[in-house]
Amino acid sequence: MFLAYLISILILAAIGIILAVSLQLTVGFTGLLNLGHLAFYAIGAYTSALLALAGYPFWFCILTAGVLAMFFGFLISLPINKIKKDYLALATMGFSFVVYAVLLNWTDLTNGPLGLAGIPRPQLFGFDFSQNSNFLLLVAIIALASYLIIKLITISPFGRVLESIRDNELAAKILGKNTFKMKMCAMGASAFFAGVAGSLYAYYITYLDPSSADIMQLIPFLAIVIIGGLGSLEGTVVAAIVLTFLPEPLRFIGFPSSIIGAARQVIYALFLLLILIFKPKGFYGKVKLE
Amino acid sequence: MIFAQLFANGLIAGAIYSLVALGFSLIYSTCNFIDFAHGVTVAVGAYLLYFFFSLLGLNFWLSVILTIIFTGLFGLLLNIVVFKELRRRKASNLILLTASFALLIIFESLILILFGADVKTIGYIQVSRGLDILGAIITPLQIIIIIVSFLLLVIFFFFMKKSKIGKAMRAVSDNKDVAEIVGISAERIYNWSFFIGSAVAGIGGILVGLDQNLVPTMGTGLMIKGFAAAIIGGIGSPIGAVLGSYLLGFGENFGIWYLPSGYKDAIAFVILFIFLLLRPQGILGKKK
């Protein structure tokens, strides 16, 4: 009983790690305050769910989910040199609203507010991942791979250019770097992993509705990125695990279930606010949000 | 027929958005950051009216006045407790923006915890039959909304042009350092901006709360529309904010001639996006 509960939280933590680490790539490393990350996540989740329901194999669904999310990541970053700083935050948040509206209203495809039910659990090389413990293994491997790939990106010369864009874009331009292309690639890669995380979430939860794209749901991941510290992947992973477990005691205090969701949001948002005031670099961060 | 109705709907939507956009534009132009908490301020206004009038049973007009004052104080409190503290620590405007986003989530969730997620109605104005004006059905309350919004704009405009505080606000938004050199306290002006901007948002919340139902997340959608309107119209220009609001109101309502009505929210953002790309300073804004 307790083990099953632990496994379900660990699965969500692993998905959270993928989502937070990919968000870190844009917010922390490239300095783009992207408030539309959940839109990519939802695009991935719906793509994957629809393909899985149509009977396509796991590897195909998850990759298509990532690639389609990446496509939208490129698309949204086309005007990235004209829309900057706080306007970028507003524009990406707006993108999130548009995706939410489409998921809610394109009922022929997404089944609207009723959502998609009965998404099958994945099978790969004859292995069946319908058991949560097996699924945890799968998610953990993909989370580790995502972490390593993003780590490689950030320590590569490309990653150093991204950090130089964050710290001083003009200087990066003077050195002849095509900052537009670099920012676009960062957004694309970040969106790809958000799509992958969305795909895993759809497979895990087996039921999907538009609330997964709700802007309110961004707060835990934004909190993880900033509390962990901008520009620190290790910090992000630690924060993702800690923050996933943090509100769990609420379940045992005996709050009614309708309040637990709201209470969780308050905890995350309050924690984020306190960090912004008292420790704006987060726990392992190198820079402040600018 | 349908044209007249869509026109009327556009007018009402524009009037409501302009109340949100005015406050947002004021706060953004003086304090120089996007205040997402402005969205929940609208909801706080509506729920305060519900609290004073429907729960405590106070006189309606007394409730309205208390609501406006307390909503203004709510904004002021946020500024003093959170944003002032952040500014003292030399936080960038993106940190202020993120903090305001956290505040939005905190207070929306708190409203949900305190009042419940179910829909509330204030029920002061009985459901009345709409008036038929040139083929469009408008309720008396909706006419009041349009008139109040227009009156507020006029008051606001003269306040900014003629009053001492209004002038100081424009000075701070123009150039904070110079304003401080001539003896204007920027922090005091920030407080005033938050108080007045939030009170206007509170009036918006009251009107929306009387016209529609109350849900904890009611402010988010309005906030997004108000922000979009203020940016379309030109930040820092109250007339621009109102112009943008009506443009958005009409754009949305005529847009659903072609699109399902659920896409209303998306239309606002597409218009905003086009403006950010082609004319980021807005219709009336000055190029920086």
Side-chain angles (χ1 to χ4, degrees):
Chain A
M1 183 63 196
F2 181 73
L3 193 66
Y5 166 70
L6 191 68
I7 285 173
S8 69
I9 297 177
L10 284 174
I11 290 173
L12 288 177
I15 294 174
I17 287 174
I18 304 176
L19 202 53
V21 165
S22 57
L23 184 60
Q24 184 69 263
L25 186 63
T26 43
V27 179
F29 284 92
T30 324
L32 306 167
L33 185 53
N34 166 18
L35 296 182
H37 205 53
L38 280 185
F40 304 129
Y41 175 71
I43 288 169
Y46 267 87
T47 308
S48 166
L50 287 168
L51 289 174
L53 284 170
Y56 286 94
F58 171 70
W59 64 267
F60 180 76
C61 294
I62 194 169
L63 280 180
T64 315
V67 170
L68 197 71
M70 182 167 74
F71 170 75
F72 278 97
F74 284 138
L75 199 68
I76 198 74
S77 48
L78 278 178
I80 209 159
N81 265 6
K82 289 199 105 177
I83 301 176
K84 284 186 177 160
K85 302 271 177 193
D86 45 359
Y87 279 12
L88 180 73
L90 201 57
T92 47
M93 185 190 249
F95 174 64
S96 208
F97 270 91
V98 172
V99 169
Y100 182 71
V102 171
L103 293 179
L104 205 58
N105 290 293
W106 193 358
T107 42
D108 293 342
L109 185 73
T110 64
N111 208 15
L114 296 176
L116 300 169
I119 302 160
R121 279 290 174 84
Q123 284 183 326
L124 199 62
F125 310 125
F127 279 109
D128 182 19
F129 292 102
S130 53
Q131 288 278 326
N132 268 359
S133 47
N134 293 348
F135 193 79
L136 174 61
L137 191 69
L138 178 73
V139 177
I141 290 169
I142 296 176
L144 185 66
S146 306
Y147 171 80
L148 289 176
I149 292 170
I150 291 177
K151 183 81 197 171
L152 278 178
I153 291 176
T154 57
I155 57 174
S156 70
F158 169 68
R160 282 197 294 277
V161 176
L162 291 184
E163 290 196 76
S164 76
I165 292 174
R166 175 196 66 203
D167 296 336
N168 192 338
E169 188 175 348
L170 188 61
K173 272 186 180 163
I174 290 168
L175 291 172
K177 302 295 177 191
N178 185 344
T179 58
F180 170 67
K181 219 162 110 188
M182 300 282 182
K183 284 195 275 189
M184 205 164 163
C185 288
M187 280 292 277
S190 165
F192 176 85
F193 286 104
V196 166
S199 168
L200 287 171
Y201 179 74
Y203 271 114
Y204 169 61
I205 212 82
T206 70
Y207 165 77
L208 204 58
D209 70 7
S211 68
S212 58
D214 189 349
I215 189 77
M216 299 294 139
Q217 305 300 326
L218 178 67
I219 205 77
F221 304 105
L222 197 60
I224 289 169
V225 165
I226 291 174
I227 292 169
L230 291 183
S232 162
L233 289 178
E234 294 75 13
T236 312
V237 173
V238 174
I241 294 170
V242 172
L243 285 189
T244 309
F245 278 93
L246 188 70
E248 284 306 315
L250 285 177
R251 268 185 224 273
F252 305 109
I253 296 173
F255 277 133
S257 61
S258 60
I259 286 184
I260 287 183
R264 279 168 53 108
Q265 296 290 66
V266 173
I267 290 177
Y268 285 130
L270 204 58
F271 208 15
L272 172 60
L273 193 61
L274 292 174
I275 287 284
L276 284 172
I277 295 175
F278 296 108
K279 207 169 164 52
K281 285 186 181 175
F283 282 100
Y284 298 92
K286 288 182 273 187
V287 288
K288 283 198 273 184
L289 201 58
E290 260 172 48
Chain B
M1 210 57 167
I2 202 165
F3 177 84
Q5 187 64 55
L6 289 179
F7 186 84
N9 291 351
L11 211 58
I12 297 157
I16 290 175
Y17 299 162
S18 64
L19 290 172
V20 182
L22 270 182
F24 165 72
S25 176
L26 177 67
I27 293 173
Y28 186 79
S29 62
T30 50
C31 307
N32 204 19
F33 74 97
I34 292 182
D35 177 27
F36 282 116
H38 199 65
V40 81
T41 310
V42 177
V44 165
Y47 273 88
L48 275 176
L49 183 67
Y50 174 78
F51 176 74
F52 288 130
F53 177 68
S54 305
L55 292 185
L56 292 188
L58 296 181
N59 171 283
F60 179 74
W61 292 106
L62 179 67
S63 306
V64 167
I65 291 167
L66 285 178
T67 300
I68 296 172
I69 294 172
F70 275 94
T71 318
L73 289 177
F74 171 75
L76 181 64
L77 199 71
L78 291 190
N79 182 46
I80 291 174
V81 174
V82 179
F83 300 126
K84 192 178 173 186
E85 191 59 32
L86 282 168
R87 275 193 297 267
R88 205 171 59 79
R89 293 163 191 266
K90 304 267 177 285
S92 67
N93 60 358
L94 283 189
I95 291 186
L96 289 163
L97 178 151
T98 313
S100 74
F101 184 51
L103 287 171
L104 169 76
I105 307 283
I106 291 174
F107 284 99
E108 270 189 359
S109 308
L110 283 180
I111 289 176
L112 193 149
I113 292 171
L114 290 174
F115 291 92
D118 52 326
V119 170
K120 298 273 188 294
T121 42
I122 290 175
Y124 171 67
I125 292 164
Q126 278 80 31
V127 178
S128 53
R129 223 151 44 99
L131 305 169
D132 192 320
I133 299 172
L134 299 172
I137 310 290
I138 307 182
T139 65
L141 177 71
Q142 290 173 330
I143 295 174
I144 295 175
I145 290 178
I146 295 171
I147 294 171
V148 167
S149 147
F150 181 75
L151 282 179
L152 267 178
L153 167 72
V154 174
I155 296 170
F156 195 84
F157 183 75
F158 279 102
F159 174 78
M160 290 305 281
K161 276 271 182 262
K162 302 289 177 199
S163 78
K164 214 174 162 191
I165 296 169
K167 285 178 187 167
M169 279 175 178
R170 285 188 293 136
V172 170
S173 85
D174 233 31
N175 192 329
K176 179 184 160 246
D177 294 334
V178 174
E180 289 201 309
I181 288 169
V182 297
I184 298 168
S185 156
E187 281 299 335
R188 227 184 106 227
I189 292 305
Y190 294 156
N191 283 342
W192 274 109
S193 304
F194 265 92
F195 181 75
I196 294 170
S198 303
V200 173
I203 297 172
I206 291 172
L207 293 174
V208 177
L210 289 172
D211 188 39
Q212 298 158 11
N213 297 324
L214 275 64
V215 281
T217 53
M218 63 186 283
T220 316
L222 282 171
M223 161 193 89
I224 290 296
K225 308 295 177 57
F227 289 12
I231 289 170
I232 290 169
I235 282 292
S237 152
I239 294 183
V242 175
L243 200 65
S245 301
Y246 283 98
L247 190 74
L248 201 61
F250 287 126
E252 273 182 4
N253 281 289
F254 284 107
I256 56 171
W257 220 333
Y258 305 99
L259 282 167
S261 61
Y263 286 110
K264 250 187 182 178
D265 293 357
I267 294 172
F269 253 101
V270 174
I271 300 178
L272 172 65
F273 213 69
I274 293 170
F275 264 89
L276 284 180
L277 274 182
L278 301 179
R279 201 177 158 81
Q281 74 273 30
I283 300 172
L284 295 182
K286 282 165 269 166
K287 207 161 197 160
K288 277 189 182 166

